[in-house]
Amino acid sequence: MSTALVWFRRDLRLDDNPAWAAATATHDRVLPLFVRDDRLIERAGEFRRRAILGAVAGLDAALRDRGARLNVESGDPLTVVPTIVAAIDADAVYVNGDVTPFGAARDHAVEAALRIPVRRSWGCWIQPPGSILTADGTVPRVFSAFFRRWQQLALPSETAPGTAELMTLASGENPIAEPHRRAADAEERLHDFVDHRLTDYPSDRDRPAITGTSRLSVDLKTGTLSAATAARAAIAAGPTGAAFVRQLAWRDWFAHLLHETPGLVDTAQRPEYAAIEWRNDPDEIDAWTRGMTGFPIVDAGMRELATTGYLHNRVRMITASFLVKDLLTDWRIGERHFRHLLADGDLPQNVGNWQWVAGTGPDAAPYFRVFNPALQSAKFDPEGAYVRHWVPEIAALDDRAVHEPSELGPLELAAAGITLGVDYPFPIVDHAAARTRAIDAYKRART
């Protein structure tokens, strides 16, 4: 009788999970395992920790529906996984691969410690890393080139669990005591998005005051939803799903790049920008993190992030550009702050997007692109609803003034009951001067 261990990590679902499907179809008995590695769990911020542990609880609930339990063990996987393998006399271990430097090193160490095969699938992304390469054997450095090849590949077929007997060890810990985040609920969120928001997604996804995005990022991060499932649903909706599918391809691209070049976590993809002279002013960084910069759209975003663990994608770009370009702060400081707070904090996506905004990554925004916070706010939050919600101290201003209160005179501000420097801060930098300063710093680094 053959026995397999399925080691769940960021693939916390049973349906459309190729590792789970392969194990349960190939072996007579299968043990589902989650290792609570506090090196990861305790390092995560509150929102991401709750999202991960809630998904673990949801996976356990799904297994209970099948008469089994999720085996949850705390410790270092290098010790836990071989111990469980020995306890059940497993013939093979099944996993979905990880592209992060930590995850790849962990998996290599565990595999080296085992005397049985480790069978790796890539169920956390749509196309597996290494499947889209240029003629010189590297991941395309321009997204459009990657996307052309990505579109030419068939989507992976949907996988379903097999009929293996599911095992539970008596020594397994009780599941995590968190509100369940179930894969079934993620599928409902996907269908709600496809049925009600997908058509307007191209125009609405940049407007933070409305629910115009998919809001599936946490499900994709924890793996309660398969990215391939999301792509199939969007494609089935016809041409209206193209914009969303393209975003899923971006997600794949950043994962492929990090898998190929783990150093992207700490190193600019473009080496000429390693010499940028960052200011890293601690008072300015503190104002940015607290949402007290005097730029309403930036402050709204940073307050939303700190309060909810969520941040709208357009506002992520605005706040990131402000930190890197207006304040001339090292992008790595912002990347780590976002990664700690975001419920969907995902290393390849976070690093990829921060390097894109900073102009240091592949196919990045040109170094001279500096978002104007007031113009971005007026364009994407024209009624000021988002700003008013998160920066209520300036809510009395009209739809034009709420984006840039510092442009008003003292009498106009007084009429709204606002005193800058008391009720709301003056801008901590002059945007036009800061833009020039940033461009000059990038130019110097390029020479």
Side-chain angles (χ1 to χ4, degrees):
M1 179 174 288
S2 64
T3 303
L5 172 70
V6 178
W7 177 17
F8 289 91
R9 291 91 70 86
R10 51 173 298 161
D11 55 340
L12 300 170
R13 64 184 184 278
L14 301 179
D15 293 327
D16 206 11
N17 183 330
W20 179 250
T24 53
T26 307
H27 296 266
D28 300 303
R29 305 185 306 169
V30 173
L31 179 81
L33 171 70
F34 178 83
V35 181
R36 177 173 175 150
D37 185 346
D38 283 342
R39 292 174 299 175
L40 292 176
I41 298 297
E42 297 306 321
R43 195 163 57 192
E46 174 190 358
F47 300 109
R48 180 154 51 97
R49 182 166 58 248
R50 290 173 60 186
I52 293 169
L53 297 182
V56 172
L59 178 59
D60 177 67
L63 285 162
R64 285 192 191 193
D65 292 343
R66 291 162 172 79
R69 296 293 299 271
L70 177 65
N71 291 268
V72 179
E73 301 284 350
S74 294
D76 185 340
L78 184 56
T79 301
V80 173
V81 175
T83 299
I84 301 297
V85 163
I88 65 174
D89 194 21
D91 304 297
V93 173
Y94 288 76
V95 299
N96 282 299
D98 193 335
V99 301
T100 67
F102 178 91
R106 173 202 59 200
D107 290 357
H108 178 76
V110 171
E111 188 168 357
L114 296 172
R115 297 183 179 180
I116 59 174
V118 175
R119 308 202 185 281
R120 182 178 290 102
S121 301
W122 289 104
C124 300
W125 293 277
I126 297 173
Q127 302 298 347
S131 63
I132 301 174
L133 302 173
T134 63
D136 64 2
T138 60
V139 178
R141 293 309 192 253
V142 177
F143 174 73
S144 59
F146 177 88
F147 188 48
R148 282 194 299 271
R149 292 173 171 84
W150 190 91
Q151 289 179 298
Q152 293 168 2
L153 299 178
L155 287 177
S157 300
E158 184 173 0
T159 61
T163 58
E165 174 189 350
L166 304 185
M167 303 172 63
T168 299
L169 289 179
S171 61
E173 297 179 2
N174 291 328
I176 307 299
E178 288 286 343
H180 294 182
R181 188 176 189 91
R182 300 189 59 150
D185 299 328
E187 293 256 5
E188 287 187 13
R189 285 188 285 273
L190 171 63
H191 294 311
D192 179 71
F193 167 62
V194 170
D195 292 344
H196 300 111
R197 302 194 302 282
L198 185 63
T199 299
D200 295 324
Y201 177 79
S203 59
D204 288 354
R205 71 187 187 93
D206 281 320
R207 300 186 60 189
I210 64 175
T211 305
T213 61
S214 71
R215 298 303 294 261
L216 296 171
S217 59
V218 175
D219 295 310
L220 293 170
K221 158 63 184 174
T222 59
T224 53
L225 178 68
S226 158
T229 296
R232 285 191 290 265
I235 290 171
T240 189
F244 179 64
V245 171
R246 184 180 175 86
Q247 295 305 308
L248 293 172
W250 274 92
R251 182 176 180 274
D252 267 14
W253 186 50
F254 286 143
H256 288 213
L257 286 166
L258 187 62
H259 180 259
E260 178 183 82
T261 311
L264 289 180
V265 174
D266 295 301
T267 306
Q269 176 82 53
R270 298 187 176 190
E272 63 267 31
Y273 293 127
I276 295 173
E277 297 174 1
W278 304 110
R279 295 176 61 250
N280 296 343
D281 182 283
D283 292 333
E284 292 178 352
I285 295 170
D286 179 66
W288 178 78
T289 59
R290 292 187 298 113
M292 295 294 287
T293 69
F295 290 83
I297 189 69
V298 173
D299 295 339
M302 298 308 295
R303 295 179 190 188
E304 179 186 29
L305 173 62
T307 303
T308 70
Y310 173 80
L311 185 56
H312 186 277
N313 183 62
R314 169 58 58 172
V315 187
R316 294 188 197 202
M317 291 190 286
I318 296 169
T319 54
S321 177
F322 184 83
L323 181 73
V324 174
K325 301 292 181 63
D326 285 71
L327 303 186
L328 204 57
T329 297
D330 191 329
W331 62 269
R332 285 159 285 216
I333 293 173
E335 188 276 322
R336 282 155 178 74
H337 182 75
F338 269 31
R339 196 195 324 162
H340 180 72
L341 287 180
L342 284 167
D344 63 13
D346 182 57
L347 186 64
Q349 314 313 312
N350 208 45
V351 167
N353 280 300
W354 271 92
Q355 289 227 38
W356 185 89
V357 170
T360 61
D363 200 12
Y367 72 89
F368 49 80
R369 175 182 288 177
V370 182
F371 285 16
N372 182 313
L375 294 182
Q376 290 281 310
S377 186
K379 181 177 181 180
F380 296 113
D381 185 30
E383 294 83 25
Y386 177 75
V387 165
R388 286 192 178 91
H389 179 79
W390 290 107
V391 192
E393 57 265 45
I394 59 170
L397 297 176
D398 64 35
D399 291 354
R400 177 189 60 83
V402 76
H403 304 292
E404 198 170 13
S406 62
E407 289 297 296
L408 297 180
L411 293 180
E412 294 172 288
L413 288 166
I418 299 168
T419 301
L420 289 186
V422 177
D423 302 300
Y424 185 66
F426 287 103
I428 61 174
V429 292
D430 176 87
H431 172 71
R435 179 182 184 277
T436 300
R437 180 178 63 189
I439 291 173
D440 288 344
Y442 275 69
K443 284 181 178 177
R444 287 195 301 272
R446 290 165 60 89
T447 58

